[in-house]
Amino acid sequence: MDPIPADAPRRHLALVGLMGAGKTSVGVSVAARSGRRHVDLDRAVMQLAGRSIGVLFREGGETAFREVEQEALALQLSAGDPIVLSTGGGVLVREANRLALARSATVVWLRATPETLAARVGDPAGRPLLADGEPLEVLKRLAVERGPTYESAADVVLDTDGLTVAEVGSLVLEAVSTAGEASR
């Protein structure tokens, strides 16, 4: 096991990045290696809403989804035990979410090129933001739109192109340990 420092001033570890960055796979790996519980925020949203993300988008659009996402994030960050949280790609769109993560978690941006992300995403089914366009073009646009927000919110930035889940997990644990989970 690769423990995260016990004296770390922040309780949770949050992985952010665009779809295909590996947040869920890396989160599972890091949680297993660090002894923390893993939470996938998209799954928490579906549990809270009682329906799929696709249905949430169809029923109320992105705004309705973001409302439930914000509530699910707050619930997860209120957990007493430290968790590894794999967020959705747009969680940082809302200022309230950025502030909550800054208060409660070390934020690690798993960054990759749009080409890598598109290859990882594969079939865009089940990804509402990819429904209306070519995945590579949508990911390029999202990288430009969201990149500055990820950069400003991140305590740690890790480039994941060409790396395995295990390699990225090791980098996350090393970076968090080296940084001592220090504040921005």
Side-chain angles (χ1 to χ4, degrees):
M1 189 163 2
D2 302 307
I4 294 173
D7 61 345
R10 294 177 181 230
R11 297 179 314 158
H12 306 298
L13 173 62
L15 303 176
V16 301
L18 289 173
M19 64 186 92
K23 299 177 300 288
T24 299
S25 300
V26 171
V28 168
S29 175
V30 168
R33 291 171 60 182
S34 66
R36 291 184 178 201
R37 182 171 58 92
H38 175 256
V39 175
D40 181 285
L41 188 58
D42 283 344
R43 286 190 189 125
V45 166
M46 289 187 293
Q47 288 175 332
L48 185 62
R51 49 199 182 280
S52 74
I53 290 171
V55 170
L56 280 171
F57 266 79
R58 280 192 301 280
E59 290 177 350
E62 187 173 356
T63 301
F65 167 74
R66 296 289 172 213
E67 287 292 325
V68 178
E69 181 184 54
Q70 183 175 333
E71 185 179 350
L73 177 65
L75 286 169
Q76 296 306 318
L77 292 178
S78 70
D81 293 329
I83 62 172
V84 175
L85 179 67
S86 298
T87 67
V91 72
L92 297 177
V93 169
R94 287 197 166 197
E95 182 179 14
N97 292 346
R98 292 192 302 272
L99 293 172
L101 286 166
R103 278 191 307 271
S104 303
T106 297
V107 177
V108 177
W109 177 17
L110 302 182
R111 182 170 61 184
T113 65
E115 292 77 13
T116 295
L117 298 170
R120 289 178 183 167
V121 167
D123 179 11
R127 299 195 183 253
L129 293 179
L130 295 182
D132 296 327
E134 171 62 37
L136 178 58
E137 295 309 312
V138 172
L139 288 163
K140 283 180 179 178
R141 179 181 51 78
L142 289 172
V144 169
E145 289 174 4
R146 295 181 180 172
T149 303
Y150 290 141
E151 183 78 39
S152 68
D155 295 298
V156 176
V157 179
L158 297 174
D159 290 313
T160 66
D161 295 292
L163 299 177
T164 66
V165 169
E167 290 168 331
V168 176
S170 293
L171 289 174
V172 168
L173 288 165
E174 180 183 324
V176 169
S177 177
T178 301
E181 291 196 327
S183 298
R184 286 182 248 326

